[in-house]
Amino acid sequence: MQSTQISINLDNLDEAQRLAVLSDSTRLCIVAPAGSGKTRVMVKRIEHLCKIKACLPSQVVAITFTRKAGFELAHRLAKTFPTETRERPFVGTLHSFALSELARFHEDSRTKLDTLLEDPTSFLKKIQVANAAKVMRAISWCKTRLMGPNDINEETIRFIKRATHISNSSFDATTFREIYNKYQRECIKHRLMDHDEVLLQYHKKLCNESYVQTRRYLYRHIFVDEFQDTTPLHMEIYKSLVGPSGAISVVGDPDQSIFSFAGASDKYINNFQDFFPGAHTVFLNTNYRSTKANVEVARSVLKQSGNIDIIKAPRSSTSLPSVHVFSDEQAESQGIVDIISNAHARGIALNEIAVLVRTNAQKDSIVHAAKQLGLPLNRGRQIIADPVANEVWKTIVSLRKKRRWKSIYDALDDIDGAQVITGELDSEHKDLFSKLRRSAREYMELFPNDRHGDVNGFFEFIEYSLTANSDSTKGFSLLSFHQAKGLEFNTVIVSGFEKGLVPLYNDKIRKAEEARLAYVAMSRAINELHITRACVRMRHNGPVVTQPSEFLKPIQENITQIDIRNDILTPQEAIKRISDIRTKYLIKKL
């Protein structure tokens, strides 16, 4: 019998991308700068492993940094692995994977799983803890670093405060240790676990030799996206799952490591071979998203990056990035709104425009200027603008709080419950509930492992479905640098390039991360990039004269060099431009 040759389509991949997809290395680090097609590579490598290397889809675990990224990856994989079968990779965040694993363990052992504590800050307030938000940030950071209450002393508390941007006067080591202990005791007493505790409990399970051997047998290849934002706790879980000889493929970009305040470190991607001996590294060196000028200007702030000079950008530029200096922040906000209006008048949709700021305090003035001109905007939150959808969503939220969903089946019941509560259905309500049921089926097909696990993922998927085509997408986006991570826009305006704002922190270690943050913000731009600063900005005590950001010097130098090299024009375009100018002046002389 003649064997059928199985192949996968690699036509839309460049040489580096193909190398990453087809690599025989069982331990692979794919360094993927902004716009280099990392998701496409992940999908194709998973397809290659399953179809060519005979790895079962159910033996693959793909970890994403956010649930939204998981939704998008699952949709792409669904085209490769039919939804009619449950033989598909697990796709989701590490929290959703760990929660699913814990749920399965407790189901098999007929024991009760602790309830997920969705708002630990409110819980701290309930047990009468002052500075609850700051305390919770510190506790979370400690957990990601595998630090318990007994590890807190005067030396560690200074390090914790510095890492999490908490003032020295907030609390001392003794106070924090007591609060941390109290929080843990109250959580145990009420059978609650926060998101970090989910990972800690799963890590503890993996320390059992019998249990971890079973996991390694079930999961033969681990994929991790955004690996530059891995924490020590994440890393311990990955090492346990992979073991001394298991397979792991990671994708990330050290130049986009911006979550150190949450316990993450880029050392794991920078020194991947130290943690997974025998590993190979592939570098995706082409940015397909942004124009050449935008790529060069964005990367000009990365003084320490070894990859700064080897990123290719084949997309030609139609305009240079520009720096705008305004007298004060009101003038800056008005100027930003004018840039948006001009771009929109040239045919750029508002949802293809973003204003990015370093701090949330910068948003108010921009919101005010946008409202005066009647420009719609969204501020990075899911907004359900349709009144019918919003009514149903509020009903589902209320039911969820009352019933405390334990499984997706509870959620499905409450979708039907919301239908009853909203009363007699008109055509709009009927269409909406039909859409919600389709979304529910789609979720259960895309994420079969989550049927008894990550109810939060399902909840967000419903919201994602309700907002995917809502009116909120018609406005421009007003986001922080962190919120913009992973997004892209035709036109990007990056605001506040002044000392004390961009960069926000001036010490050597944090300044390096501030440079990466500025790079992340600027690299969201596809075609147009605008950079702004105000000469006077309001601080707590009134107006303050600002100094230009140190990042502006390399940016402006780079823009000048691009202009000299005529990078924004092809030779043919340059010849035509010269011809047009000559014609213009000849006509004037005549």
Side-chain angles (χ1 to χ4, degrees):
M1 183 182 290
Q2 188 174 2
S3 62
T4 303
Q5 184 68 35
I6 300 174
S7 63
I8 63 173
N9 186 355
L10 303 176
D11 292 345
N12 60 346
L13 301 183
D14 64 29
E15 185 179 349
Q17 290 171 336
R18 288 186 183 210
L19 184 61
V21 169
L22 301 175
S23 174
D24 288 328
S25 176
T26 57
R27 297 170 170 215
L28 184 68
C29 178
I30 304 168
V31 178
S36 59
K38 64 167 186 169
T39 306
R40 184 188 308 133
V41 168
M42 280 184 71
V43 170
K44 287 295 180 182
R45 181 158 173 79
I46 292 172
E47 184 181 357
H48 174 72
L49 286 170
C50 295
K51 292 186 175 179
I52 310 300
K53 297 297 184 181
C55 181
L56 293 175
S58 59
Q59 294 174 331
V60 175
V61 175
I63 302 298
T64 59
F65 190 67
T66 64
R67 285 198 180 96
K68 184 180 177 183
F71 300 156
E72 292 169 355
L73 180 59
H75 277 296
R76 292 207 199 183
L77 287 172
K79 297 174 184 177
T80 300
F81 304 99
T83 55
E84 292 78 23
T85 173
R86 288 187 58 164
E87 282 295 309
R88 291 192 307 285
F90 179 98
V91 180
T93 64
L94 185 56
H95 287 93
S96 66
F97 174 68
L99 190 59
S100 177
E101 288 279 275
L102 289 173
R104 181 182 299 183
F105 173 84
H106 283 279
E107 187 177 0
D108 292 343
S109 60
R110 296 184 179 181
T111 54
K112 187 178 180 181
L113 177 67
D114 290 347
T115 302
L116 190 65
L117 179 58
E118 296 184 31
D119 189 356
T121 301
S122 294
F123 185 71
L124 278 174
K125 291 177 181 176
K126 188 177 178 180
I127 60 175
Q128 299 180 329
V129 171
N131 293 318
K134 293 179 180 179
V135 168
M136 195 61 238
R137 196 157 77 231
I139 289 175
S140 179
W141 191 90
C142 288
K143 289 187 174 185
T144 65
R145 294 294 179 116
L146 298 157
M147 292 172 61
N150 294 335
D151 297 313
I152 308 303
N153 54 42
E154 292 301 331
E155 182 181 354
T156 57
I157 197 65
R158 285 195 295 270
F159 188 78
I160 292 164
K161 287 178 179 177
R162 185 168 172 270
T164 55
H165 309 160
I166 295 173
S167 62
N168 288 326
S169 59
S170 298
F171 42 75
D172 57 24
T174 302
T175 303
F176 179 65
R177 185 167 56 247
E178 290 173 353
I179 293 171
Y180 194 173
N181 264 316
K182 181 180 180 181
Y183 173 72
Q184 292 293 86
R185 285 196 308 270
E186 290 296 320
C187 284
I188 292 169
K189 178 182 175 182
H190 294 92
R191 297 296 304 269
L192 297 170
M193 57 179 178
D194 58 36
H195 283 82
D196 297 309
E197 195 64 35
V198 170
L199 298 186
L200 285 168
Q201 287 194 24
Y202 186 52
H203 172 251
K204 188 177 180 180
K205 290 279 185 292
L206 292 172
C207 292
N208 179 286
E209 187 62 25
S210 174
Y211 182 81
V212 77
Q213 289 297 342
T214 304
R215 299 300 103 186
R216 290 171 187 169
Y217 176 79
L218 288 174
Y219 308 123
R220 306 294 179 85
H221 206 117
I222 309 297
F223 277 80
V224 186
D225 190 16
E226 304 287 4
F227 194 71
Q228 76 278 354
D229 294 317
T230 294
T231 71
L233 177 54
H234 295 163
M235 194 62 183
E236 289 302 313
I237 291 173
Y238 298 144
K239 286 196 298 182
S240 295
L241 287 171
V242 172
S245 58
I248 182 170
S249 295
V250 305
V251 183
D253 180 10
D255 293 332
Q256 296 187 66
S257 177
I258 58 173
F259 286 96
S260 66
F261 67 89
S265 172
D266 61 357
K267 70 179 181 181
Y268 302 115
I269 192 169
N270 288 329
N271 305 290
F272 187 71
Q273 292 187 3
D274 294 344
F275 299 97
F276 297 101
H280 288 81
T281 299
V282 176
F283 182 64
L284 307 184
N285 62 347
T286 305
N287 183 318
Y288 294 99
R289 173 197 295 156
S290 305
T291 63
K292 188 173 190 290
N294 288 348
V295 170
E296 291 189 9
V297 167
R299 298 193 69 81
S300 67
V301 300
L302 298 173
K303 297 176 182 178
Q304 306 302 320
S305 175
N307 305 324
I308 190 167
D309 297 321
I310 58 175
I311 302 294
K312 300 175 185 176
R315 291 192 64 242
S316 60
S317 307
T318 56
S319 62
L320 285 172
S322 54
V323 177
H324 307 263
V325 181
F326 298 97
S327 57
D328 55 39
E329 63 184 316
Q330 283 75 32
E332 181 191 40
S333 298
Q334 186 58 54
I336 287 170
V337 168
D338 289 343
I339 293 169
I340 294 170
S341 301
N342 290 334
H344 189 45
R346 285 184 278 109
I348 299 171
L350 286 177
N351 63 0
E352 286 295 320
I353 302 172
V355 180
L356 308 182
V357 295
R358 179 63 183 89
T359 67
N360 287 323
Q362 293 170 256
K363 291 182 178 180
D364 291 341
S365 178
I366 298 169
V367 169
H368 179 71
K371 283 182 177 178
Q372 282 189 318
L373 203 61
L375 282 177
L377 66 110
N378 70 79
R379 302 179 68 170
R381 297 187 300 269
Q382 296 280 30
I383 302 170
I384 302 173
D386 179 75
V388 173
N390 194 45
E391 174 194 358
V392 171
W393 177 246
K394 286 181 178 178
T395 305
I396 292 173
V397 169
S398 177
L399 285 167
R400 185 193 186 205
K401 288 179 179 178
K402 289 176 182 177
R403 285 166 54 84
R404 292 188 180 181
W405 293 349
K406 297 293 184 183
S407 74
I408 288 173
Y409 298 106
D410 292 337
L412 292 173
D413 287 343
D414 279 346
I415 288 177
D416 290 329
Q419 179 175 336
V420 174
I421 291 170
T422 50
E424 187 175 345
L425 299 182
D426 54 27
S427 59
E428 283 187 277
H429 279 85
K430 285 179 180 177
D431 289 343
L432 181 61
F433 279 109
S434 294
K435 180 180 178 182
L436 287 177
R437 289 191 195 92
R438 286 196 301 271
S439 295
R441 285 197 298 272
E442 183 181 18
Y443 184 87
M444 295 178 80
E445 288 170 352
L446 290 173
F447 304 96
N449 296 289
D450 275 356
R451 288 171 187 257
H452 295 285
D454 187 18
V455 181
N456 286 323
F458 178 71
F459 188 72
E460 287 192 20
F461 191 78
I462 298 172
E463 186 178 18
Y464 177 76
S465 300
L466 287 173
T467 56
N469 298 306
S470 72
D471 291 340
S472 67
T473 61
K474 294 180 181 177
F476 74 90
S477 294
L478 177 57
L479 309 169
S480 70
F481 290 4
H482 285 97
Q483 286 174 319
K485 179 81 162 56
L487 303 178
E488 59 182 46
F489 302 90
N490 178 288
T491 300
V492 170
I493 305 151
V494 190
S495 168
F497 268 68
E498 303 134 30
K499 286 184 178 179
L501 198 55
V502 181
L504 189 61
Y505 302 103
N506 205 40
D507 59 277
K508 186 176 180 181
I509 295 175
R510 285 191 287 190
K511 191 186 289 184
E513 182 161 313
E514 290 290 314
R516 294 195 294 270
L517 256 176
Y519 163 66
V520 165
M522 290 188 286
S523 63
R524 303 307 97 195
I526 297 173
N527 288 317
E528 291 187 34
L529 174 61
H530 300 268
I531 296 155
T532 73
R533 66 163 291 235
C535 296
V536 176
R537 193 173 293 276
M538 296 298 293
R539 300 295 190 202
H540 298 297
N541 298 321
V544 173
V545 176
T546 67
Q547 297 299 315
S549 165
E550 63 193 80
F551 297 153
L552 278 179
K553 185 177 180 181
I555 286 171
Q556 289 173 317
E557 287 175 353
N558 202 281
I559 291 173
T560 304
Q561 290 170 2
I562 291 172
D563 200 17
I564 290 170
R565 292 196 304 268
N566 257 331
D567 277 347
I568 63 169
L569 299 173
T570 64
Q572 292 79 11
E573 289 170 334
I575 291 169
K576 185 178 183 303
R577 181 68 59 84
I578 293 168
S579 175
D580 290 343
I581 292 170
R582 284 177 174 170
T583 302
K584 179 180 177 181
Y585 281 99
L586 279 172
I587 291 171
K588 280 187 175 181
K589 285 183 179 180
L590 292 173

